[in-house]
Amino acid sequence: MKEKKLKIALTGNPNSGKSTVFNRLTGGYAHVGNWPGVTVEKKEGKFQFRDCEVTVVDLPGIYSLSSHSIDEQIARDFIMKEKPDKIVVIVDASNLERNLYLFTQLLESGANVILNLNMMDIVKNKGIVIDTKILFEIFGVPIVETVASKGEGIEELKEAIVNESKKTKGSFRIDYGDDIELEIGRIERIINLTGYPPRWLAIRLLEGDREILEMTKKEGKNVESQVLNSKKRLEEHLNHELETALVEKRYAFLSGLIKESISKKYDLLEQLEISDRIDRILLNRYLGIPIFLGMMWLLFQFVFTLGNPISDGIKIFMGWLGESTSYGIERFGGSKWLSSLVSDGIIGGVGSVLVFLPPIFLLFLAIAILEASGYMARAAFVMDRFMHALGLHGKSFIPMVMGFGCNIPGIMATRTMESQKDRILTILVIPLMSCTARLPIYTLFAGAFFAENQGWVVFSIYLLGIILAIIVARIFKGLFFKGEVFPLIMELPPYCMPTLKGVLIHMWERGSLFIKKAGTIILGCVVLIWLLASLPLGVEYASKESLIGQIGSFFAPFLKPAGFGFWQAGVALLFGILAKEVVVGTFGTLYGVKEAGLTNVIQEVFTPLSAYAFMVMSLIYIPCIAAIATIKRETNWKWALFAAGYSILLGWLLATGIYQVGKIFF
Ligand code: GDP
Ligand code: MG
């Protein structure tokens, strides 16, 4: 097998990682060679890749191709005299503008270069995004990204080194402006040195490169007078030295290039500073809580203003679907029984819950935005301080905030708390945080009775949950868990702009669970309710005489003081223990979504006051069965039963209190 031999040079600014790349490439078998004529060491090593033996020379770090220093002299001599097959320009990609200067000079010289963007880890950490496609389009040379210190991208670099490079586009040129270009053109025409692009030679000569001048002299060309003339003419126009002007043009070009190809997602330090300033307001001792409440209020405005029109559409669709399927089933010889199961039971029950998909998805969206932006952590921080002042453990509020989505992950999140006492205490109050499963109930009732102030009303229920959680925790603490509270140090990530993709993914992850629930547990419940509403045989569907009517009637008297003492409400609350969405599903199944629609029926059997009492009851009266099971798993049966018991009592007392007191005023 014939071996190809390549000789390549590594070059770049000092500290761009050349030696690191060198060692990675050569696997540490590098031997250090003293090069004749100079005192500074250059390292030479070898590596084998495919059928290619590559000799690698690590040159000293330089900033440009001029020859002001010994290092520059060595690097330049090597590049110009030894003529390596390829030059790998290693740049610190986190500092591109400065690092690319040398690279553009080499590119102008017509050398066969590879651009190695090293330190990509730092680039990522700084939140910088480099568009290599644009860089490639402009430079037309292979570009390889590496993290040399970790060995990442080294294989790709080897690949690029041994690849027959389709000779670079060669079209790269910096436009130095009409005046300078004119003179470059003049010199270019009379110059001819094999192996170097005339344009580059002309530029070097204008920059006062004496070595190039000597070389042209040796070749018998006397371009000196032309160069001097050009220089003189140019420096009359320019108000500073020509060399400086050329450097300036190059940096101007790079600066434009950087703007084009680099975007900064964030800058950590800058971000922290901005975050600090925002926090001075958002975490302010007095403003913190009002701002938090304001945010919550805005959140519900957002959820309903945007969600309701879509919900209305789904509601109309479900009504139509219910009517047309029952009509269709009967028309094609299906029994009345089947038609009732499909239209009353399934479409009525599940459909009435699905109507609330829009506000639920929007709520998840809003929560995802608050979380991603960093505000959620602040909300916890603000409440933390408040709770701490009440002698409660601040760390509780994070699981509590999580409980807004679903109580179960909130309960599990208490595992991060060190003190078992505080942990149980927090678990006991998390069910008071209104999870999204309860949102359909509020949306239905607030929409039916307080359409103008729907956002306010739902906000008040959520707020009630938080306030109750704090009061209840304070009481339980005094009763069962005496002891001191430990201060908490909370992480406050810098604020940042949430990404659309990120929040949409979050919204979908949580929202799809809701849809899944609708297809499983809620569906199961409404079918069961439909069955109980149809039995015993011959009874009128969903009448008081049906099985479900009898079950509901048993509970109704207990609910009467709270203002909703009819059997349907009893059934709804009873089945709501399985999953809170079922409360709405039950009404949907029992009252149907056809004709008048659920909202209208609700308006007939509730008053605004009893509706509000019912919402409060739904918030508090018991954690759902899955939450109770989770409490049991995280603590024990005793606490699980206690959580269920106290919440039933509290819910009933509060609903009754609201209704009875309210009756006096309204
Ligand atoms: P040279 O002066 O160009 O030869 O640079 P060196 O190879 O001596 O590297 C300079 C410093 O940068 C060393 O501390 C390396 O460990 C570090 N370094 C090299 N490559 C990387 C990289 O990809 N990422 C990071 N974070 N550090 C690197
Ligand atoms: Mg080095």
Side-chain angles (χ1 to χ4, degrees), residues 162 239 642:
V162 302
N239 37 20
F642 179 74

Side-chain angles (χ1 to χ4, degrees), residues 13-20 22 43 58-61:
N13 292 9
N15 274 322
S16 56
K18 285 181 309 302
S19 300
T20 314
F22 176 83
K43 270 186 262 162
D58 182 21
L59 298 173

Side-chain angles (χ1 to χ4, degrees), residues 377-393:
R378 267 73 183 184
F381 183 85
V382 167
M383 289 311 289
D384 160 82
R385 210 163 42 193
F386 179 63
M387 308 230 315
H388 208 82
L390 294 175
L392 294 170
H393 199 296

Side-chain angles (χ1 to χ4, degrees), residues 387-619:
M387 308 230 315
H388 208 82
L390 294 175
L392 294 170
H393 199 296
K395 219 173 187 171
S396 315
F397 202 74
I398 303 168
M400 282 166 69
V401 166
M402 292 181 71
F404 280 137
C406 170
N407 290 170
I408 293 165
I411 293 167
M412 313 246 268
T414 59
R415 289 181 183 179
T416 57
M417 300 176 66
E418 298 85 15
S419 148
Q420 185 66 7
K421 286 180 184 175
D422 287 324
R423 186 164 174 240
I424 295 174
L425 188 64
T426 310
I427 289 177
L428 288 179
V429 299
I430 283 179
L432 294 170
M433 307 307 283
S434 197
C435 66
T436 28
R438 287 168 247 189
L439 188 63
I441 310 176
Y442 314 146
T443 313
L444 174 65
F445 281 81
F449 292 98
F450 310 99
E452 302 281 292
N453 301 307
Q454 195 179 14
W456 273 108
V457 169
V458 177
F459 167 68
S460 74
I461 299 278
Y462 273 75
L463 190 59
L464 178 69
I466 298 176
I467 295 170
L468 280 176
I470 293 173
I471 296 174
V472 167
R474 189 71 203 104
I475 294 172
F476 287 173
K477 172 130 190 131
L479 288 177
F480 313 120
F481 308 105
K482 290 201 185 74
E484 57 187 309
V485 281
F486 304 99
L488 156 76
I489 295 176
M490 228 152 63
E491 290 165 45
L492 292 177
Y495 291 101
C496 68
M497 205 51 161
T499 63
L500 184 66
K501 193 174 155 206
V503 295
L504 287 182
I505 286 174
H506 260 110
M507 175 185 82
W508 176 249
E509 272 174 359
R510 295 171 185 167
S512 57
L513 285 182
F514 182 84
I515 298 178
K516 212 172 126 202
K517 218 167 156 193
T520 52
I521 183 165
I522 300 171
L523 178 65
C525 284
V526 297
V527 169
L528 179 66
I529 290 165
W530 172 84
L531 193 66
L532 292 174
S534 310
L535 293 174
L537 286 173
V539 79
E540 192 196 336
Y541 175 75
S543 65
K544 206 172 172 189
E545 287 68 40
S546 66
L547 273 183
I548 198 99
Q550 293 173 32
I551 297 171
S553 300
F554 173 77
F555 290 103
F558 297 103
L559 302 174
K560 200 167 173 56
F564 36 88
F566 42 95
W567 67 267
Q568 290 91 340
V571 173
L573 290 173
L574 178 65
F575 280 88
I577 301 175
L578 297 176
K580 296 270 170 111
E581 295 95 332
V582 177
V583 171
V584 169
T586 307
F587 284 128
T589 303
L590 295 181
Y591 292 133
V593 287
K594 289 183 284 184
E595 298 138 33
L598 193 48
T599 305
N600 294 352
V601 185
I602 293 289
Q603 279 167 343
E604 276 166 31
V605 295
F606 283 89
T607 65
L609 184 59
S610 67
Y612 196 84
F614 188 80
M615 284 189 263
V616 172
M617 182 72 176
S618 304
L619 164 69

